[in-house]
């Protein structure tokens, strides 16, 4: 296969331009817009496969195995939104593809300024996506909050980068750091933790996830989270001596616990899954910490890759169920299993998987990640991560109980589109659990 | 001998799928097929000297996880108990009006339990171990009695909490093994051959946490009374009859072989807790007014005896404790079934709700009395053999534990006999629902005859049973 440098990014950029051009028509054809979104994301994925064989690199971008692996994750997380996006809205399609392009650039960035550009490229469309995906002022309010948080993160990164540059005179990483450089690296890491929603920098996240349309929340919690994890990993690579790395396991453990505890009392489903996503982000930060502590082993990378891959199915599937079922609160879940057996059964599988019950992909994901932590002698953070999984089981089981074991009351909700996606995600999760080597051999074959 | 062991856990799983269409007929057919297969494997292996069948596939993927099954007499004994009680449960619930899912859950449960007893790769051991929770969660939550929702969630969370620590312990074990030998493996035999460094106590106590919740050992027992009381009758049978045994099996299969020294050093703590469990369970049982809850608490006491025997690591103690696992499955299973039959008829199960049942339902009175006597350890019945051997094992190691255990035996009579008297012999009180109770029908009698004859057989001729388990336990004797 011949590879095209920056091919995936080019495909996405073409998609953005195409969507905007279609928008010039008086009435943009919905079908064409949706097809364009799917084609761009699928095309990017295909081109990423093609470019996997060579290690292209320039001053600002590179194609290594991590960059390719994470691009798959990003496109995997984005594909459901491409399928279910509101095709009437050309701006929404352009914003979606623009955000995906930013993530894709982030996955390929090889120096610090490029990371910053990609970060902003990914974030700006995401704010608008949240505001625009659902009519009403709440989305707007959440988007402004999100924008503000993102602005702070961007500013922190910029400040950190200047301090770091003042110390090292390098934009592509350095090993020796004075306290000035340490402070700079720490600030840059804070920006990444902001994006991941690490406790206590997670205050913007539940509002944004709750206000956005469910499928957009799914996109943010999968593709965006994957990109942010890679962002943190690149920082660890570019500044391997940075002091912040030693704190990552503890930050991750605290975030995992805090997210799980805060999700316990949530009544609204989207808000609950937002906190659940914070908890999972905590496990991922712990995973990055373990990976960095064990000399950046390839096992650590594949554990993170597996976790994010399984999470792409779980989170997109649960948000797709929320969209399909039209249920908004836990009280409305009660007794609805019988009315929509296939989708509800798939949702239940996803819940068990999120709770880490075997034989599902979520179990394997948690196992591999915690194993990395134990292997790096991070016993306490690993135990905290395990306890967070236990706490989270209380609400995943609680929802299972409401869905199947309790009596329904109130009017039956109107179901929307998306049932096949929920079922497909559940099948994906079961496959990952029953045959976990599928993922490793697949990603092994694709990244070579 | 490659296929049969995989077939053992796949057969009930296939049965679970078929039950979705054929409901009780599918369940009956597949539980008979399953029992037949187990009998076949058991007969096939008993001719050899060392009772072991190994079933392996190469590493299925990275990190040394491999699919590895093996069955010695301990495994086969417990799988036979699973298959037998599963068949009993299907027969006992035959006339219940329940959807297909009920039967499917029982078959899925039998499959996962079989997997636990077969797996020799700790990864698969853990996966099967956790997989048992899902069907039982639905069995309690969907078909249990009034407080079932609370009990189902509590059951799941409590036992999962234990297994999380077990999983962390397993991860630490595998990592430590890799650090020492450079080999990734989850194979029990390979891990057994390596001496661990400083992480050993961490791993040991993590494993113990997982097993102790399941057994359950005081003070980790609080999930049990709720789960057993709220589960449907057949669910209680599987819970008490087989699922509690997983904890003791875990000790026998994993914790004791891997950590012979540590487990001996921990004997005063673990044995003390086990001895205390026998007394505590009996005292709690004595205070109950609900017949089913009383039996549930008595399970805590009975499992305490099993533990005392097993932890003593003497030949009598180990074989007696293991036999007691089977005994408890039979007697407590029978008792739970009869409470279920009572509940189906009268929708009550309080000790004071009945009276004078011996004249109204003589068969029920006979079987209940018989099982009660077996449960409290009357010589000539199965409970006596197991308890006696377990206690004599404990006596030779730490006599004080045996004395505590004997106190537990006495207390067992003190709660079981008055309960029997209140329900069957005492005159019916004003609020009594005894009038609603009809005697057992032919199907129910057949089920109970089977169980009772087995109790009598083990009680009168325990030697072949003990001899069957002995080779598998020989290596554990200190």
């Amino acid at each position: 296969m011949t590879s095209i440098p920056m091919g995936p990014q080019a495909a996405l950029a073409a998609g953005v331009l195409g969507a905007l051009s279609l928008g010039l028509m008086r009435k943009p054809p919905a079908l064409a817009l949706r097809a364009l979104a799917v084609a761009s994301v699928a095309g990017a994925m295909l081109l990423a496969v093609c470019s996997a064989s060579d290690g292209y690199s320039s001053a600002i971008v590179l194609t290594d195995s991590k960059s390719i692996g994470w691009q798959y994750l990003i496109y995997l997380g984005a594909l459901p939104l491409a399928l279910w996006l509101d095709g009437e809205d050309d701006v929404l399609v352009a914003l979606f593809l623009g955000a995906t392009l930013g993530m894709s650039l982030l996955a390929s960035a090889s120096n610090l300024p490029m990371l910053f550009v990609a970060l902003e490229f990914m974030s700006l469309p995401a704010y608008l996506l949240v505001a625009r995906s659902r009519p009403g002022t709440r989305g707007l309010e959440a988007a402004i909050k999100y924008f503000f948080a993102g602005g702070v993160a961007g500013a922190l990164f910029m400040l950190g980068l200047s301090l770091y540059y003042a110390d090292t005179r390098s934009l592509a990483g350095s090993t020796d750091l004075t306290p000035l450089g340490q402070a700079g690296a720490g600030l840059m890491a804070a920006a990444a933790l902001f994006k991941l929603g690490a406790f206590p920098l997670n205050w913007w996240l539940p509002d944004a996830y709750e206000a956005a349309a469910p499928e957009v929340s799914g996109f943010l919690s999968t593709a965006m989270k994957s990109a942010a994890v890679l962002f943190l990993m690149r920082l660890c690579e570019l500044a391997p001596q940075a002091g912040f790395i030693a704190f990552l396991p503890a930050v991750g453990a605290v975030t995992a616990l805090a997210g799980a505890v805060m999700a316990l009392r949530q009544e609204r489903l989207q808000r609950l899954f937002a906190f659940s996503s914070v908890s999972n982000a905590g496990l991922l930060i712990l995973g990055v910490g373990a990976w960095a502590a064990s000399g950046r082993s390839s096992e650590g990378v594949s554990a993170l890759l597996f976790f994010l891959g399984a999470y792409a199915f779980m989170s997109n599937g649960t948000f797709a169920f929320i969209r399909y079922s039209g249920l908004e609160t836990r009280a409305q879940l009660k007794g609805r299993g019988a009315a929509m057996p296939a989708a509800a059964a798939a949702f239940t599988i996803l819940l068990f998987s999120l709770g880490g019950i075997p034989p599902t992909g979520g179990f394997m994901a948690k196992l591999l990640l915690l194993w990395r932590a134990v292997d790096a002698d991070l016993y306490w953070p690993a135990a905290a991560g395990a306890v967070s999984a236990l706490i989270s089981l209380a609400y995943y089981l609680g929802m299972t109980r409401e869905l199947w074991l309790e009596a329904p009351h109130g009017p039956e909700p109107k179901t929307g589109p998306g049932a096949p996606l929920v079922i497909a995600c559940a099948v994906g999760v079961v496959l990952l659990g029953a045959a976990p080597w599928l993922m490793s051999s697949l990603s092994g074959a694709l990244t070579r | 001998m490659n296929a049969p062991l995989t077939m053992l856990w796949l057969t009930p799983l296939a049965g679970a799928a078929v039950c979705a269409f054929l409901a009780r007929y599918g369940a009956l057919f597949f539980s008979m097929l399953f029992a037949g297969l187990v009998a076949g494997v058991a007969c096939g292996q008993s001719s050899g000297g060392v009772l072991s069948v190994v079933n392996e596939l190469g590493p299925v993927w990275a990190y040394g996880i491999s699919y590895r099954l093996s069955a010695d007499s301990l495994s086969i004994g417990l799988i036979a108990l699973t298959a037998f009680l599963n068949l009993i449960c299907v027969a006992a619930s035959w006339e219940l009006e329940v959807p297909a899912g009920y039967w499917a859950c029982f078959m899925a449960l039998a499959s996962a339990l079989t997997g636990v007893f077969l797996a020799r790769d700790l990864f698969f051991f853990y996966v099967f171990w956790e997989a048992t929770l899902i069907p039982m969660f639905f069995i309690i939550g969907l078909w249990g009695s009034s407080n079932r929702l609370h009990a189902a969630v509590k059951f799941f969370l409590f036992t999962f909490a234990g297994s999380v620590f077990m999983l962390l312990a397993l991860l630490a074990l595998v990592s430590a093994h890799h650090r020492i030998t450079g080999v990734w493996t989850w194979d029990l035999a390979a891990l057994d051959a390596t001496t661990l460094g400083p992480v050993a106590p961490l791993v040991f106590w993590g494993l113990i946490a997982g097993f102790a919740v399941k057994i359950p050992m005081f003070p980790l027992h609080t999930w049990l009374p709720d789960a057993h009381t709220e589960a449907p009758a057949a669910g209680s049978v599987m819970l008490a009859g087989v699922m509690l045994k997983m904890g003791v099996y875990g000790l026998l299969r994993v914790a004791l072989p891997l950590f012979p020294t540590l487990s001996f050093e921990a004997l005063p703590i673990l044995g003390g807790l086990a001895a205390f469990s026998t007394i505590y369970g009996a005292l709690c049982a004595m205070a109950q007014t609900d017949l089913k809850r009383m039996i549930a608490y008595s399970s805590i006491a009975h499992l305490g005896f099993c533990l005392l025997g097993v932890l003593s690591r003497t030949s009598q103690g180990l074989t007696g404790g293991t036999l007691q696992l089977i005994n408890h499955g039979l007697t407590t299973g029978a008792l739970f079934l009869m409470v279920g039959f009572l509940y189906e008829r009268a929708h009550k199960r309080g000790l004071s709700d009945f009276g004078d049942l011996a004249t109204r339902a003589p068969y029920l009175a006979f079987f209940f009395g018989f099982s009660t006597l077996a449960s409290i350890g009357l010589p000539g019945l199965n409970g006596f053999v197991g308890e006696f051997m377990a206690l004599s094992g404990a006596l030779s190691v730490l006599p004080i534990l045996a004395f505590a255990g004997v106190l537990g035996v006495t207390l067992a009579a003190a709660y079981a006999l008055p309960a029997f008297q209140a329900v069957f012999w005492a005159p019916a009180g004003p609020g009594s629902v005894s009038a609603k109770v009809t005697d057992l029908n032919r199907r129910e009698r057949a089920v109970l005859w089977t169980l009772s004859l087995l109790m009598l057989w083990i009680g009168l001729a325990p030697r072949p049973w003990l001899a069957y388990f002995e080779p598998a336990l020989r290596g554990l004797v200190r």
Side-chain angles (χ1 to χ4, degrees):
Chain A
M1 281 182 283
T2 52
S3 75
I4 307 160
M6 305 292 286
Q9 287 83 357
L12 291 166
V16 175
L17 293 177
L20 291 176
S21 323
L22 280 173
L24 295 175
M25 296 163 73
R26 186 169 298 152
K27 198 171 179 321
L31 194 67
L33 272 169
R34 196 175 277 177
L36 182 72
V38 175
S40 307
V41 176
M45 201 176 232
L46 214 68
L47 286 164
V49 174
C50 294
S51 55
S53 50
D54 70 340
Y56 171 80
S57 85
S58 72
I60 55 168
V61 292
L62 83 172
T63 314
D64 62 358
S65 64
K66 267 206 290 302
S67 139
I68 297 291
W70 254 265
Q71 283 191 47
Y72 294 144
L73 287 176
I74 289 161
Y75 306 141
L76 186 70
L79 206 52
L81 182 55
L83 287 166
W84 302 107
L85 203 63
D86 178 11
E88 307 278 311
D89 191 344
D90 53 302
V91 180
L92 204 64
V93 175
L95 288 171
F96 158 66
L97 290 174
T100 313
L101 172 56
M103 295 169 193
S104 178
L105 285 172
L106 190 65
S108 313
S110 69
N111 70 11
L112 292 165
M114 187 60 198
L115 271 180
F116 178 72
V117 171
L119 180 73
E120 292 300 307
F121 208 128
M122 155 180 109
S123 304
L124 288 169
Y127 310 137
L128 294 169
L129 210 53
V130 168
R132 207 179 163 97
S133 68
R134 222 185 228 181
T137 51
R138 273 195 51 212
L140 211 54
E141 191 195 322
I144 289 171
K145 206 168 173 181
Y146 187 17
F147 175 64
F148 179 68
V152 172
L156 283 177
F157 188 87
M158 222 42 219
L159 181 60
L161 178 56
S162 0
L163 295 181
Y164 186 83
Y165 183 72
D167 178 28
T168 63
R169 302 284 155 192
S170 160
L171 291 172
S174 165
T175 49
D176 299 322
L177 294 179
T178 65
L180 186 69
Q182 289 286 7
L187 284 171
M188 289 191 284
L193 293 175
F194 229 115
K195 279 283 157 205
L196 275 167
F199 184 82
L201 308 176
N202 65 334
W203 44 268
W204 56 272
L205 193 146
D207 288 345
Y209 280 27
E210 188 189 353
E215 62 272 26
V216 171
S217 306
F219 171 65
L220 293 180
S221 73
T222 56
M224 179 83 102
K225 185 171 278 135
S226 302
V229 167
L230 187 62
F231 183 27
L232 191 58
M233 290 169 76
R234 292 285 192 215
L235 288 177
C236 292
E237 278 179 337
L238 292 173
Q241 303 299 322
F244 75 85
I245 295 176
F247 292 100
L248 288 180
V251 171
V254 170
T255 304
L257 284 174
V261 169
M262 288 189 288
L264 276 175
R265 304 302 288 178
Q266 301 304 324
E267 178 57 28
R268 300 184 65 80
L269 292 178
Q270 260 177 274
R271 206 171 173 79
L272 191 157
F273 282 109
F275 279 112
S276 137
S277 146
V278 169
S279 180
N280 279 294
L283 290 177
L284 284 163
I285 296 168
L286 169 57
V288 174
W291 164 77
S294 62
R296 302 202 292 278
S297 62
S298 63
E299 284 101 344
V301 175
S302 49
L304 286 163
L305 210 58
F306 191 98
F307 192 104
L308 284 165
Y311 192 68
F313 285 105
M314 296 190 284
S315 189
N316 267 321
T318 44
F319 281 110
F321 177 78
I322 293 174
R323 180 187 155 112
Y324 160 75
S325 66
L327 302 170
E328 289 180 347
T329 63
R330 283 184 63 171
Q332 289 174 358
L333 271 180
K334 283 184 183 169
R336 294 297 173 207
M340 39 179 112
F347 180 60
T348 309
I349 292 174
L350 293 168
L351 289 177
F352 275 120
S353 178
L354 279 166
I357 308 292
T360 57
F363 162 69
M364 278 313 299
K366 284 206 168 79
L367 177 106
L368 290 178
L369 209 69
L370 292 180
W371 193 0
R372 285 304 102 211
V374 168
D375 203 44
D377 287 336
L378 300 166
Y379 294 119
W380 285 110
V387 170
S388 84
L390 186 64
I391 298 171
S392 72
L393 200 61
Y395 46 83
Y396 296 135
L397 270 186
M399 284 187 276
T400 310
R401 160 190 157 160
E402 279 143 16
L403 197 57
W404 295 103
L405 309 183
E406 293 197 22
H409 61 86
E412 198 144 302
K414 239 179 39 216
T415 55
L421 181 61
V422 188
I423 294 168
C425 286
V427 169
V429 158
V430 170
L431 273 182
L432 282 181
W437 64 92
L438 268 184
M439 178 101 146
S440 53
S441 52
L442 195 69
S443 67
L446 292 180
T447 53
R448 264 183 288 263
Chain B
M1 286 294 281
N2 241 357
L5 292 188
T6 304
M7 292 294 292
L8 276 186
W9 70 269
L10 277 183
T11 304
L13 193 64
V18 171
C19 282
F21 309 103
L22 291 177
R24 69 196 68 196
Y25 296 99
L28 184 66
F29 176 74
F30 274 91
S31 33
M32 282 162 81
L33 186 66
F34 177 40
L37 263 177
V38 177
V41 173
C43 292
Q45 80 173 163
S46 63
S47 49
V50 179
L51 307 178
S52 182
V53 187
V54 182
N55 190 341
E56 272 184 52
L57 285 175
V60 286
W61 73 306
Y63 308 121
I65 298 167
S66 63
Y67 176 75
R68 183 177 283 115
L69 305 180
S70 162
D72 56 8
S73 56
L74 178 63
S75 303
I76 291 293
L78 287 170
I79 293 168
L81 181 72
T82 310
F84 174 69
L85 287 181
N86 187 50
L87 191 57
I88 291 279
C89 285
V90 171
S93 342
W94 192 253
E95 281 164 24
L96 291 184
E97 283 175 22
V98 281
Y102 179 86
W103 309 100
C105 279
F106 274 93
M107 297 310 289
L109 179 64
S111 165
L113 286 166
T114 309
V116 171
F117 297 135
L118 284 178
R120 290 299 180 276
D121 181 275
L122 288 175
F123 175 81
F124 280 94
F125 176 77
Y126 183 82
V127 168
F128 282 122
W129 180 281
E130 289 299 290
T132 58
L133 297 182
I134 301 171
M136 191 40 92
F137 174 74
F138 285 106
I139 289 174
I140 299 176
L142 283 172
W143 300 288
S145 42
S146 53
N147 199 18
R148 59 180 184 272
L149 297 183
H150 172 74
V153 174
K154 187 173 174 183
F155 158 76
F156 202 118
L157 282 181
F158 258 71
T159 46
F160 188 77
S163 2
V164 161
F165 289 99
M166 180 172 118
L167 179 65
L168 284 177
L170 293 180
L171 292 178
L173 172 66
V174 174
S175 281
H177 180 268
H178 173 248
R179 215 163 292 172
I180 294 164
T181 62
V183 179
W184 288 113
T185 181
W186 291 70
D187 176 18
L188 193 54
L191 293 168
D192 196 9
T194 309
T195 320
L196 293 181
V199 293
L202 196 78
V203 177
F204 176 71
W205 286 105
L207 290 175
I208 292 294
F211 299 144
V213 172
K214 207 75 172 189
I215 290 172
M217 191 195 276
F218 178 88
L220 303 174
H221 65 281
T222 52
W223 62 272
L224 179 137
D226 284 337
H228 285 224
T229 311
E230 300 303 329
S236 310
V237 172
M238 290 310 281
L239 257 177
V242 192
M243 285 187 82
L244 299 190
K245 288 16 186 257
M246 288 163 61
V248 182
Y249 174 81
L251 279 180
L252 286 170
R253 179 68 70 205
V254 185
L256 296 188
L258 284 180
F259 302 101
T261 327
L262 270 174
S263 63
F264 188 68
E265 284 164 9
L267 177 65
I269 303 172
L270 294 178
L273 284 173
F276 187 72
S277 294
T278 61
I279 298 172
Y280 176 84
L283 287 176
C284 287
M286 217 183 272
Q288 300 308 315
T289 54
D290 181 319
L291 196 52
K292 200 170 182 189
R293 220 175 162 79
M294 185 200 86
I295 302 171
Y297 273 108
S298 81
S299 290
I300 300 178
H302 283 125
L303 267 290
F305 291 121
C306 301
L307 266 182
L308 275 181
V310 163
L311 289 171
S312 76
R313 303 254 306 276
T314 55
S315 185
Q316 319 93 298
L318 282 164
T319 43
T322 308
L323 182 65
Q324 187 63 5
L325 294 180
I326 308 285
N327 291 338
H328 175 258
L330 299 177
T331 49
T332 306
L335 288 171
F336 271 130
L337 278 183
M338 282 182 275
V339 176
F341 294 151
L342 265 180
Y343 190 74
E344 275 170 37
R345 289 163 165 79
H347 299 286
K348 295 263 185 188
R349 46 173 199 236
L351 286 173
S352 54
D353 293 329
F354 301 97
D356 198 27
L357 272 186
T359 50
R360 289 178 186 281
Y363 274 115
L364 185 64
F366 166 69
F367 287 118
F368 207 99
F370 190 88
S371 307
T372 302
L373 291 175
S375 158
I376 63 178
L378 184 81
L381 293 176
N382 58 350
F384 173 73
V385 186
E387 284 179 9
F388 179 80
M389 293 189 65
L391 288 178
S392 64
L395 187 68
S396 61
V397 181
L398 210 59
I400 182 139
L401 297 181
F403 290 129
V406 170
L407 185 59
V409 176
T410 322
L411 289 173
Y415 64 78
L417 295 178
F420 180 80
Q421 196 223 2
V423 173
F424 290 95
W425 286 340
S432 159
V433 287
S434 290
K436 291 188 194 164
V437 179
T438 52
D439 206 357
L440 302 176
N441 63 28
R442 201 175 291 163
R443 174 181 55 88
E444 293 162 341
R445 288 205 301 267
V447 167
L448 291 169
W449 271 125
T450 321
L451 288 164
S452 304
L453 287 176
L454 267 172
M455 293 177 211
L456 190 65
W457 181 17
I458 299 178
L460 290 178
R463 190 173 287 264
W465 297 82
L466 295 169
Y468 181 69
F469 287 121
E470 200 271 333
L473 301 167
R474 201 177 290 151
L476 292 175
V477 175
R478 194 168 38 85

